[in-house]
Amino acid sequence: MAVYQNGTSSTCVVEPIELQNVTYSLPQPVAKSYNPRGSSLNIEEVGKEDNDPVENLPSPVVGGEEKLERWNHPRSNLFRTLAAFWSFVVMGSNDAAYGALIPYLQKHYHLSFLVISLVFLSPLVGYTASALLNNSIHLKYGQRGVAFISPGCHLVAYIVIALHPPYPVLVVIFMLAGFGNGLADAAWNSWIGNMSNPNEILGFLHACYGLGAVLSPLIATSMITKGSKLPWWTFYYVMIAMAIIELATSISAFWHASGEVFRANNPRTTNTKDNRMKEALIRMPYARVTWVCAVFLLGYVGIEVALGGWIVKFMLEVRDGGDFASGMTATGFWMGLTVGRIVLGFVTPRLGEKLAIAIYLPLTMALELIFWLVPQFYVSAVAVALQGFFLGPLFPAAIVAATKLLPRHLHVSAIGFAAAFGGSGAAIFPFAVGAIAQGHGVQVLQPVILALLGVILVLWLSLPRIHRKTD
């Protein structure tokens, strides 16, 4: 047993075990190692229900080392972490582009609020598929498979969009982009969530998402409204170049992380993957944590993308802003999100995830009220940027909370499912805002966002008490 210092907490790690020598010889009480935290979850009882002694062994982390990995150790992790960071830049650019391009898509295709909102809803199919297939792709192809499939989906989707096809084709191709996003989101969150200092590293990972989301509306708005005033689809030439870089860096970084390597380092996943998913989604008490985190992320991502996606339209029509100034408001929101993930990523572990998010969410709700009730362009622009700042650390904190509340053998299935399921919020709630706006105007954005903030606050408070991570 080795003890590693992680910020203000210590992490106990079971040293590597030769599984083939102990497969059916360890006594049942090994399962008790899952509950050193004294959590209200009765983890020991679940362990006693399983008659397979192998199921009670500590599970390896996704990356293949039984020790907690670091972002720069082993050395191959440095390049892999940077490749994951770039993947999140592309994902952020993908999601934030919708908001900046919605007004121009609407004009180009002559569509109503309801119909144009299908560009938000269509990726839901891709996110749902990625949530279901994430574990199987890891088993068959490993992280190498994710590194090829996700950027490949991005590249194909952006090439088709750049050809500005008929609108129904556009809706279908966004499903492919959604699958690429959901798969990478689940895989890299699960992998980095198991590292030491996860709050800080996940903070930087999701800050890269925010960075892409900052650059995307800035580049798109500048291309369309300034200079030669290019058509909206030329922005996707930029996205094609980014996807090519993503494909090259991801494959080269994770080339040796094949399905064979994954199965060798995670033998229990090979033999019991169906049981793991069932345990994570159906069997209490794990199901409670998995579903609360999944629905929390669903609401959070819905807030993030609905606010970032409709803010330009809101500022144009409700706050009477100019084209460029309104586009820059979206940039301000994503910039706040990025800075918040970096800065508050160091604050959150010191306060504790449960308390920190219980503070950030009411502050965000207060700023949302200011945004809604003070009808001034600049007040709204500042308020939405500050909302981004306090919303920033929510996704990383939820992933870290799940790693602390769930045993390590469920991380790849439970966290992967929660991340991909949560990503579907990027489709559901922005579409809902557009559908409601069809009859009542885009000003419905504010009460919808406020209500969602209240719901995810209640969900967060319903999580069990989070103790120090002692896997």
Side-chain angles (χ1 to χ4, degrees), residues 58 72 84 99 111 176 183 192 258 279 295 326 363 422:
N72 58 354
L111 301 173
L176 189 62
L183 189 60
I192 292 181
S258 63
E279 189 176 359
V295 178
S326 297
L363 289 173

Side-chain angles (χ1 to χ4, degrees), residues 333-416:
F333 169 74
W334 294 109
M335 181 67 78
L337 198 84
T338 303
V339 174
R341 283 174 171 168
I342 294 173
V343 174
L344 297 181
F346 292 92
V347 176
T348 300
R350 286 155 180 77
L351 294 176
E353 289 80 17
K354 192 77 177 283
L355 175 61
I357 303 308
I359 294 172
Y360 302 155
L361 277 173
L363 289 173
T364 307
M365 295 172 73
L367 289 164
E368 176 59 30
L369 283 171
I370 295 172
F371 184 21
W372 182 11
L373 300 177
V374 181
Q376 299 292 329
F377 181 91
Y378 292 108
V379 172
S380 296
V382 172
V384 79
L386 289 173
Q387 282 186 76
F389 179 80
F390 288 110
L391 284 170
L394 266 62
F395 199 117
I399 298 298
V400 174
T403 66
K404 292 182 177 180
L405 291 170
L406 293 170
R408 294 177 66 191
H409 75 278
L410 293 182
H411 287 181
V412 68
S413 52
I415 296 174

Side-chain angles (χ1 to χ4, degrees), residues 17-20 23 54-55 57-60 66 139 260-273 276:
I17 298 172
E18 286 292 330
L19 294 181
Q20 65 269 26
T23 303
V54 178
E55 276 297 306
L57 290 172
S59 174
E66 293 199 48
L139 283 169
E260 182 180 359
V261 171
F262 181 84
R263 292 191 300 271
N265 291 325
N266 297 267
R268 294 173 57 212
T269 304
T270 303
N271 298 326
T272 62
K273 71 180 180 70
R276 283 185 169 206

Side-chain angles (χ1 to χ4, degrees), residues 97-121:
Y98 300 147
L101 297 177
I102 280 287
Y104 309 103
L105 287 169
Q106 195 171 15
K107 290 179 184 177
H108 179 80
Y109 290 105
H110 308 289
L111 301 173
S112 65
F113 273 118
L114 180 61
V115 178
I116 198 65
S117 297
L118 289 174
V119 301
F120 289 116
L121 187 62

